[in-house]
Amino acid sequence: MRLRFSRYRCWFCGALATTLAGCAPSNPPRTQTAQQPQATAPALPPAPQAPAPQAVAPVSPPQPTAEQKRVAQLIQQVEAAYKAGDADYRKGQLPQAKAEFDHAVDLMLTSGIDIKSVPDLADEFDHIVDAVNGLEMDALKQGNGFEPRVEETPADVASDVTFTVDPNILAKARSELGSIKSDLPLMVNDYVAGYINFFANTLKGHNTLLHSFERAGRYRAMIQRVMSEEGVPQDLIYLAVAESGFQPRAVNRRSRAGGMWQFMPHGEYGLTRNSYVDERFDPEKSTRAYARYMKYLYDQLGDWYLAMAAYDWGAGNIQRAVEKTGYADFWQLYKRNNLPGETKNYVPEILAAIIIANNPQQYGFDEVTLDPPVLTDTVTINYSVDLRLVSDLLDTPVDELMALNPDMLRMQTPPDTSFDLHLPAGTATLFEDRIAGIPEAKRDSWRYHRVTPDDTLESVARIYHVSAADLAAANDLSESESLQGVEAVVVPVPPAASSQRTLLYTARRGDTLITIADRFGVSLEQLRRWNQMTGSKVAPGRRLRVAEPAHLVQASAHRRRGTAAPAKAGTAEADPPKKAAPRAGTVKKTAATTAKTHRAGKPATDAKSSAP
């Protein structure tokens, strides 16, 4: 996708020409000199010779100043970085594209030039920021977005490793095998011991398994509950170590398998996939599909090791290997080289993870600090709502809502179909109460704005690029009415305008509030007020609001006036009368960790565990 790049190339040439002030006018286009026609009339007498003009020295155009040269060179560097990012984006290499886009912006911010004082550079800055924001939204609509880097799984880092068997590790694991309480048959042989040694005694193996164990804290109780409900062994949870390291948005670039359990894009697993939703990335729904599929494989093959191998290689392939050798035993198929290398390693790796998880201190995993469990309220809705509006209603960052709904491929829930929207724990009732004030047809674009003492209808309208008349109409106010005493207003933002607003920015090393304000074209005072900060310093990693946050408090404009929630459009013409906006839908109080799922007797808030 080219995102107006050819248009911008023309703009850039014009900008460069403007920057180099005083350049000579363009020469006329070169053409072949036409031959003079022969004269047909008698030659005229020669005209009197005029005095020869005095020679005039040619006027050289003024040379660009050092500052102008620097600006032109900077624009070229920025353009090159943006072009490289655009090329990476079209290839689907989103992390590389994002890095190039960030580099393009950083070149300007770290140049030492006052961006706003140089018109060409200010235009370049605005264009790059707008273009990158547009690419991010387009990428999100296509089902990917600029995702954070997915960490390698233990299987990834061990794929090319030659394992050595430590006799001490082998002896220790065998001696402890009898004390391990597992609902899977466990065994230790040289293959399993090689993996135990890799995870216990190499830095890379240790760290990747440790991080997998830590992330398991987010979903362990939910997975245990689903496994119990589906009647499969609890220790099947550790297939996620090999598949994704418990990362719900993991995608295999080669096979396109995705989610915590790495389901392929096509297959009858009971998971919905469309342009809005991919339930392979929903932790609970994909876990239930995984448990049912594992049970199906076990019923087909009659052995849990073969079922695990079939999950990696396919049931048909395992059945053919059994028929070929006459051995319905994973280790016999292993020894006879009737399995591909990846599947050979798959089962030993999982067994090693189970053994270490049951005795972590014995293998150097002294303190596994579990990530906090993901606790949510789930609201079932049947209309399209934008996550930015949900963010306004609940005062929750958009990226936090996206993390709670990893199956969403867009910033909007699907229209005209049922969808389980996950919200921060304890916020479902608040969401229901506040969403009822927004007409259902407008929930995919409208916003809420908390009124400050300096706000007027005109100033709020300017922030969201809507007319003051539409803003007044949507809130049942007159255009001349003051916002004094009004705590919050609804904002009738058209869908296209809503999708272009940037909300959050994560500070990087070297950032200050001044450079961030410059980056996003806002004032320093606005940035301070939106983030409740003083001074100019900001810690790397802090998330900052870089656009006016739209919050909702208890009393909105129409409530203050004692009127019903309006159903006016975001244009001068009102919508036809509608029934009262329905409540948000069926509320299901759910949590990844609840009291009844703690079969090990550990409280949900326990951040430390002797075993992951």
Side-chain angles (χ1 to χ4, degrees):
M1 186 191 68
R2 292 192 61 86
L3 192 73
R4 310 187 303 279
F5 187 74
S6 58
R7 175 190 65 76
Y8 178 65
R9 186 181 305 165
C10 297
W11 174 91
F12 169 69
C13 294
L16 185 58
T18 305
T19 302
L20 302 177
C23 290
S26 302
N27 293 323
R30 295 184 179 181
T31 58
Q32 278 193 328
T33 303
Q35 292 184 346
Q36 297 293 332
Q38 294 183 349
T40 56
L44 294 175
Q49 294 294 323
Q54 295 183 354
V56 179
V59 178
S60 299
Q63 295 298 313
T65 66
E67 183 71 5
Q68 289 170 337
K69 289 181 179 179
R70 187 182 174 196
V71 169
Q73 184 180 18
L74 177 60
I75 290 177
Q76 289 177 337
Q77 292 172 344
V78 170
E79 179 66 11
Y82 175 79
K83 187 174 181 180
D86 186 60
D88 287 335
Y89 177 85
R90 293 198 305 272
K91 295 174 185 175
Q93 298 171 347
L94 299 182
Q96 296 91 324
K98 183 169 175 56
E100 290 289 351
F101 293 148
D102 287 344
H103 178 56
V105 176
D106 288 341
L107 280 170
M108 290 181 279
L109 293 179
T110 60
S111 66
I113 302 174
D114 184 357
I115 295 174
K116 292 187 176 180
S117 68
V118 182
D120 297 331
L121 198 55
D123 289 344
E124 174 79 350
F125 185 91
D126 292 341
H127 167 76
I128 293 296
V129 171
D130 289 345
V132 172
N133 288 345
L135 282 172
E136 280 194 285
M137 292 310 305
D138 287 342
L140 191 63
K141 290 175 183 177
Q142 292 172 20
N144 36 46
F146 291 107
E147 292 293 334
R149 180 179 177 272
V150 175
E151 185 178 330
E152 288 183 306
T153 68
D156 293 331
V157 300
S159 59
D160 297 321
V161 175
T162 300
F163 298 105
T164 58
V165 179
D166 184 332
N168 295 326
I169 290 285
L170 181 59
K172 181 194 298 185
R174 283 177 171 169
S175 66
E176 294 171 348
L177 197 60
S179 63
I180 296 177
K181 296 180 180 179
S182 175
D183 46 10
L184 284 174
L186 298 182
M187 69 170 297
V188 177
N189 53 25
D190 286 353
Y191 312 122
V192 177
Y195 264 102
I196 295 175
N197 185 45
F198 174 70
F199 292 138
N201 295 321
T202 68
L203 181 62
K204 199 168 187 179
H206 180 277
N207 286 343
T208 53
L209 186 61
L210 173 64
H211 296 164
S212 292
F213 284 166
E214 290 172 341
R215 282 190 294 267
R218 305 176 193 175
Y219 309 107
R220 184 176 64 175
M222 177 273 291
I223 296 173
Q224 289 174 339
R225 170 174 56 80
V226 171
M227 297 289 193
S228 177
E229 291 171 354
E230 297 298 332
V232 296
Q234 292 282 310
D235 275 348
L236 287 178
I237 184 177
Y238 292 104
L239 263 74
V241 168
E243 294 293 346
S244 68
F246 293 96
Q247 297 173 98
R249 287 305 299 265
V251 175
N252 185 301
R253 289 188 177 275
R254 178 173 53 84
S255 69
R256 306 309 300 164
M260 189 184 301
W261 306 104
Q262 292 290 285
F263 283 105
M264 295 295 289
H266 305 288
E268 296 299 327
Y269 306 111
L271 298 173
T272 298
R273 292 189 72 242
N274 54 44
S275 62
Y276 284 86
V277 172
D278 190 335
E279 289 182 347
R280 295 181 301 161
F281 302 123
D282 183 292
E284 181 162 349
K285 290 181 179 178
S286 66
T287 295
R288 193 169 298 280
Y290 159 71
R292 291 175 177 175
Y293 188 53
M294 285 300 298
K295 189 173 183 179
Y296 163 80
L297 292 174
Y298 178 77
D299 290 342
Q300 292 290 310
L301 300 168
D303 179 89
W304 283 116
Y305 290 178
L306 291 179
M308 285 188 267
Y311 191 82
D312 181 66
W313 194 31
N317 289 327
I318 294 296
Q319 287 173 333
R320 283 187 287 273
V322 169
E323 292 170 358
K324 179 180 178 180
T325 63
Y327 288 97
D329 179 85
F330 173 81
W331 302 111
Q332 292 297 330
L333 298 180
Y334 188 115
K335 292 174 182 178
R336 285 166 170 76
N337 290 320
N338 288 110
L339 301 171
E342 179 183 296
T343 308
K344 278 185 174 182
N345 295 334
Y346 192 73
V347 173
E349 177 189 5
I350 295 166
L351 295 179
I354 295 173
I355 291 169
I356 293 174
N358 279 275
N359 292 286
Q361 293 86 356
Q362 298 297 321
Y363 300 100
F365 293 80
D366 297 324
E367 289 189 358
V368 178
T369 303
L370 300 179
D371 287 352
V374 178
L375 304 175
T376 66
D377 282 358
T378 301
V379 179
T380 302
I381 59 176
N382 57 5
Y383 52 81
S384 182
V385 63
D386 195 294
L387 287 185
R388 283 159 289 216
L389 175 59
V390 181
S391 172
D392 297 344
L393 301 178
L394 303 181
D395 194 20
T396 300
V398 170
D399 53 353
E400 182 177 332
L401 292 170
M402 293 180 69
L404 294 178
N405 296 275
D407 56 331
M408 287 183 60
L409 302 182
R410 306 188 183 195
M411 290 293 286
Q412 297 175 358
T413 63
D416 305 321
T417 187
S418 178
F419 180 77
D420 291 335
L421 178 64
H422 303 300
L423 306 172
T427 63
T429 301
L430 181 65
F431 172 81
E432 279 194 305
D433 291 342
R434 292 179 172 178
I435 197 69
I438 300 285
E440 183 175 321
K442 307 300 181 184
R443 293 173 186 174
D444 60 354
S445 62
W446 278 26
R447 305 291 297 279
Y448 267 99
H449 176 83
R450 176 180 292 174
V451 175
T452 66
D454 296 332
D455 279 340
T456 64
L457 283 172
E458 290 78 11
S459 67
V460 174
R462 281 195 300 271
I463 292 172
Y464 294 93
H465 305 290
V466 299
S467 73
D470 290 344
L471 181 62
N475 290 276
D476 198 21
L477 299 169
S478 67
E479 290 186 54
S480 60
E481 193 165 351
S482 168
L483 292 182
Q484 185 176 1
V486 177
E487 295 186 71
V489 293
V490 296
V491 184
V493 179
S498 175
S499 66
Q500 296 300 318
R501 295 190 60 80
T502 301
L503 293 179
L504 290 169
Y505 170 75
T506 302
R508 297 194 294 269
R509 186 176 180 180
D511 277 345
T512 68
L513 292 185
I514 296 172
T515 61
I516 295 172
D518 279 344
R519 170 175 291 193
F520 292 97
V522 300
S523 73
L524 179 59
E525 290 306 315
Q526 284 177 313
L527 198 60
R528 286 172 174 167
R529 174 162 53 88
W530 297 339
N531 295 280
Q532 300 180 350
M533 298 176 66
T534 58
S536 62
K537 293 183 179 180
V538 59
R542 174 162 180 172
R543 292 183 303 186
L544 298 174
R545 292 184 181 273
V546 292
E548 176 74 334
H551 300 293
L552 177 65
V553 292
Q554 294 300 321
S556 63
H558 55 75
R559 288 176 183 162
R560 176 178 66 86
R561 295 172 59 88
T563 59
K568 293 184 172 63
T571 61
E573 182 181 353
D575 288 334
K578 295 181 179 180
K579 295 181 181 179
R583 294 179 69 81
T586 305
V587 179
K588 297 184 294 184
K589 293 285 186 179
T590 64
T593 306
T594 59
K596 66 180 181 180
T597 64
H598 290 299
R599 307 191 186 281
K602 290 182 169 51
T605 57
D606 184 14
K608 296 271 187 181
S609 173
S610 60

